[in-house]
Amino acid sequence: MKDAQKKYFLEILEKYRKKKANSKEIKFLETYYDMFEENEDLINEENEGNYLHLKENIKTAIDKKISSPNTNGKEIKILWFKYAAVAAALLMVLFASLHFFNTNKENNLAEMDHHINPGGNNATLILSGGEKIVLNNASQGEIARQSGISITKTANGQIVYAITSKTSDKPLKNTIITPKGGQYKVILPDGTEVALNAASTLTYPTSFQGGERRVELKGEAYFEVTKNAAMPFRVQSTGQTVEVLGTHFNINAYDDESIIRTTLLEGSVKITSAIASSIISPGQQALISKTGKGTILTKEINPEKEIAWKDGMFSFENDDIKSVMRSISRWYNVNVSYKGNLPDIDFTGEIFRTAKLSEVFKILELNGIQFEVEGKNIIVSYNQEAVKTINPKNHKPTDY
């Protein structure tokens, strides 16, 4: 268990001891106690001793913390992850342990953690003249000047554009590219903040002039647009244009996804395709199929799920294995291929994006998904016999 996860868990226990825990926090503790009873199919004669030992250790640790005195007398302030996110992280560790106990074969997935790491701040800025600046290698402070614009890298790793002098020159175009295994934040000249997910490209002018603020996106980005009613902000992606005056929204427009998804969190946006247009409200998502003619569908969704990536989480909700693996491929910079027939299994849950890839795979293995690792090439297959061994009664996929 990572230190941050442990800290949040202990803070919940402290609130419980003081009888200040809310219903979600109490539910979390109950889930932590009861998770083994709810998954008896994971227990067999071979691993029963390990199961009982692990369960007893958990119970003892919780009881000890609840009964221990508050030594510093200070109120603990909690900075919350979602309950589901914390619970998923704990379940991930414990399910992975049980799965390890349940197999005699040597698990070599941990070996790949030496050469496959989670992504991080990593991007390249391409200036209008073609000069490339690798941002994760660039020093803090000003990294470039262009036509009255200063480009600065901040201490927390953002790129900020600031107007230093007025100019009549035509705005230049810059491009920021995140590779697989990369992410980055940029503050545009009008103050609009953009967070780029892995394997994404954003092209934009060094200053906004005329009647609009237009940028081009490939991949995924979250926008917090500065309000300016006189100059609409437009995001051009393959197959659609999103127009806003000032709002918060997310666009997922990866080339390897069959649907372009635009999710609104605040304000309103107008989505325009080749044949239609639609205005969506907060909590709604517009979908455009790349194989269709430009029809726009709208549905109510959980917007927090769509932007979990920018807060350091994978969030899946009834996603199939190929959709899950596309997200994993982009973040861990691996190549994925498939062998044999894959089952129609939906995955739901949240995992920290800081997790080792081996930990992520151990969760998926609980549903019979198997992985062969050859360098950075991952071959995915399905083993129904493994599902019968782990969950012989009902053969249902395991949520995490």
Side-chain angles (χ1 to χ4, degrees):
M1 190 186 305
K2 296 183 181 298
D3 290 342
Q5 299 164 18
K6 195 177 299 182
K7 174 187 174 187
Y8 292 121
F9 180 57
L10 294 178
E11 287 172 344
I12 297 170
L13 288 172
E14 185 69 15
K15 290 186 71 176
Y16 182 83
R17 188 183 68 78
K18 293 180 178 180
K19 297 182 179 181
K20 294 182 178 180
N22 60 35
S23 59
K24 279 191 175 182
E25 293 162 347
I26 293 171
K27 182 179 178 182
F28 168 70
L29 292 179
E30 291 172 346
T31 300
Y32 198 61
Y33 268 119
D34 297 339
M35 58 171 291
F36 291 102
E37 282 73 13
E38 293 174 1
N39 293 275
E40 289 293 343
D41 292 336
L42 294 174
I43 314 305
N44 55 35
E45 292 181 359
E46 184 179 352
N47 66 24
E48 186 177 7
N50 290 321
Y51 152 71
L52 294 173
H53 179 69
L54 186 57
K55 179 185 174 186
E56 186 60 29
N57 283 350
I58 293 169
K59 185 178 185 302
T60 300
I62 291 177
D63 290 340
K64 181 178 179 181
K65 179 60 184 178
I66 290 175
S67 62
S68 65
N70 184 9
T71 56
N72 57 22
K74 295 181 180 179
E75 187 71 18
I76 295 177
K77 296 181 179 179
I78 297 179
L79 301 176
W80 259 100
F81 279 125
K82 289 173 59 182
Y83 153 75
V86 182
L90 293 170
L91 290 174
M92 176 181 70
V93 174
L94 296 171
F95 277 139
S97 298
L98 285 177
H99 182 52
F100 176 80
F101 294 144
N102 194 39
T103 58
N104 291 322
K105 67 178 182 179
E106 181 180 357
N107 192 335
N108 66 349
L109 287 178
E111 295 181 7
M112 71 184 177
D113 293 330
H114 294 296
H115 61 275
I116 299 178
N117 298 309
N121 277 359
N122 186 8
T124 299
L125 176 65
I126 303 177
L127 303 179
S128 59
E131 180 186 354
K132 296 182 179 181
I133 302 174
V134 180
L135 295 177
N136 45 306
N137 293 340
S139 301
Q140 178 183 339
E142 187 175 82
I143 58 175
R145 274 183 177 266
Q146 292 183 305
S147 299
I149 300 294
S150 173
I151 307 172
T152 303
K153 179 180 176 180
T154 65
N156 60 357
Q158 292 184 345
I159 293 301
V160 179
Y161 282 73
I163 299 173
T164 58
S165 62
K166 292 184 178 181
T167 176
S168 59
D169 293 343
K170 183 178 179 180
L172 305 174
K173 281 198 173 183
N174 285 182
T175 297
I176 184 169
I177 301 173
T178 55
K180 292 175 70 172
Q183 63 182 13
Y184 224 85
K185 292 183 180 180
V186 57
I187 300 179
L188 300 177
D190 66 333
T192 291
E193 299 183 19
V194 185
L196 278 178
N197 203 351
S200 300
T201 300
L202 183 72
T203 300
Y204 50 91
T206 53
S207 64
F208 293 113
Q209 299 178 13
E212 69 172 359
R213 296 170 287 168
R214 182 178 289 267
V215 302
E216 299 170 24
L217 172 69
K218 292 182 179 180
E220 183 169 23
Y222 170 76
F223 294 83
E224 293 188 356
V225 178
T226 299
K227 289 180 171 60
N228 185 343
M231 190 180 289
F233 191 97
R234 295 186 173 99
V235 183
Q236 179 70 52
S237 302
T238 302
Q240 74 168 25
T241 300
V242 175
E243 178 180 325
V244 304
L245 299 179
T247 187
H248 299 180
F249 61 99
N250 191 85
I251 298 176
N252 183 323
Y254 283 110
D255 289 340
D256 60 355
E257 298 287 351
S258 61
I259 295 175
I260 302 172
R261 293 179 171 84
T262 302
T263 305
L264 183 63
L265 287 89
E266 179 183 301
S268 66
V269 302
K270 179 180 179 181
I271 295 95
T272 303
S273 69
I275 64 167
S277 64
S278 178
I279 296 176
I280 61 174
S281 302
Q284 291 185 327
Q285 184 179 76
L287 303 95
I288 300 177
S289 173
K290 292 181 180 178
T291 58
K293 297 181 180 179
T295 301
I296 303 174
L297 300 178
T298 301
K299 68 176 183 178
E300 302 289 332
I301 51 90
N302 172 16
E304 296 301 321
K305 181 252 184 186
E306 299 298 321
I307 65 168
W309 64 268
K310 78 177 186 67
D311 297 321
M313 300 295 299
F314 288 111
S315 182
F316 303 115
E317 190 173 307
N318 299 321
D319 293 313
D320 63 29
I321 185 60
K322 289 190 175 181
S323 177
V324 171
M325 291 307 299
R326 284 194 294 272
S327 295
I328 289 173
S329 170
R330 296 182 198 118
W331 186 239
Y332 290 91
N333 189 17
V334 294
N335 304 310
V336 177
S337 59
Y338 301 90
K339 182 170 67 176
N341 296 323
L342 296 176
D344 185 17
I345 296 177
D346 291 334
F347 295 85
T348 296
E350 293 181 306
I351 309 172
F352 286 97
R353 298 216 314 176
T354 53
K356 294 179 180 179
L357 187 53
S358 60
E359 294 175 336
V360 179
F361 283 177
K362 285 173 184 175
I363 296 172
L364 299 177
E365 282 182 330
L366 291 171
N367 298 294
I369 304 299
Q370 291 191 327
F371 303 93
E372 299 174 42
V373 182
E374 299 176 357
K376 287 204 169 188
N377 297 313
I378 309 297
I379 302 172
V380 182
S381 60
Y382 178 64
N383 183 353
Q384 188 168 358
E385 293 304 314
V387 178
K388 292 179 181 179
T389 300
I390 296 169
N391 199 4
K393 290 184 180 179
N394 52 27
H395 299 234
K396 291 182 180 179
T398 304
D399 286 349
Y400 50 92

